[in-house]
Amino acid sequence: MSFTVPSRTPSGPRRRSLLVGAAGAGLLLGCSAGGEGSDASGGDPSVLEKARARVARDSRELVERYDAVIAAHPDLAALLTPLRAEVVRHARAFGSGMGASTGTASASPSGPPSASPSPSPVPDDPKAALAELAAAERKLADKRAEALLGVPGEMARLMASVAAAGAGHAYVLTEGAK
């Protein structure tokens, strides 16, 4: 006689995705409080504004990718919605003007939103869609980690936190695709 443990499918977001989201939010809040070494104490304002606008634009484009995957695969919404919400918060942290309830972009304080290319078509296979989204998160996290070397103080810390959160998102998405 053998004893088998019944498998249980979680109904909500996985604990790991919630932990990664909470950790990212904690880092984001901790790094955006200002104080010692803030951007006002050094750095070329035009460089900072360009970097801030670029990061905000990249976050808006990533939100559009999340929206496309959720629209194509509604069954993935439980996994993707908390991660998408984090990306919206990242965009807001960089002044993107993301709408609070709709998640749509509006004009940013530094000028009109740039024309962003529409997201690539979403694969029909949910696992492939998650893998593509994970690759986009990973690529963006790497891009931000590289770019933070060119900005001073608080902006660099904020970019590092958002890059780390993006790497965490990539991990969660990769695990979700298995």
Side-chain angles (χ1 to χ4, degrees):
M1 183 188 275
S2 66
F3 177 72
T4 59
V5 177
S7 65
R8 179 166 94 59
T9 305
S11 61
R14 291 190 173 148
R15 183 181 318 145
R16 190 176 303 136
S17 67
L18 292 175
L19 290 173
V20 168
L27 287 172
L28 187 60
L29 290 173
C31 289
S32 63
E36 184 179 322
S38 69
D39 291 337
S41 66
D44 182 7
S46 64
V47 169
L48 292 175
E49 285 309 309
K50 286 178 185 176
R52 186 178 300 272
R54 185 175 47 251
V55 173
R57 182 190 66 238
D58 290 344
S59 291
R60 284 192 309 267
E61 290 172 4
L62 189 57
V63 168
E64 290 173 7
R65 283 179 171 265
Y66 272 95
D67 290 342
V69 173
I70 291 170
H73 302 286
D75 52 321
L76 296 176
L79 172 66
L80 299 180
T81 300
L83 300 175
R84 180 196 179 277
E86 287 295 314
V87 176
V88 169
R89 281 191 280 279
H90 297 161
R92 282 191 205 132
F94 291 101
S96 80
M98 295 292 293
S101 60
T102 62
T104 58
S106 63
S108 69
S110 61
S114 62
S116 61
S118 59
S120 58
V122 176
D124 291 333
D125 177 34
K127 289 184 180 197
L130 286 176
E132 274 191 11
L133 199 52
E137 281 273 17
R138 196 173 300 109
K139 181 179 176 183
L140 190 53
D142 291 344
K143 179 180 172 182
R144 287 176 174 166
E146 207 172 288
L148 69 88
L149 298 173
V151 295
E154 187 66 22
M155 180 69 163
R157 286 189 290 277
L158 183 57
M159 286 176 69
S161 295
V162 172
H169 292 178
Y171 175 79
V172 169
L173 292 166
T174 300
E175 289 296 308
K178 289 184 180 178

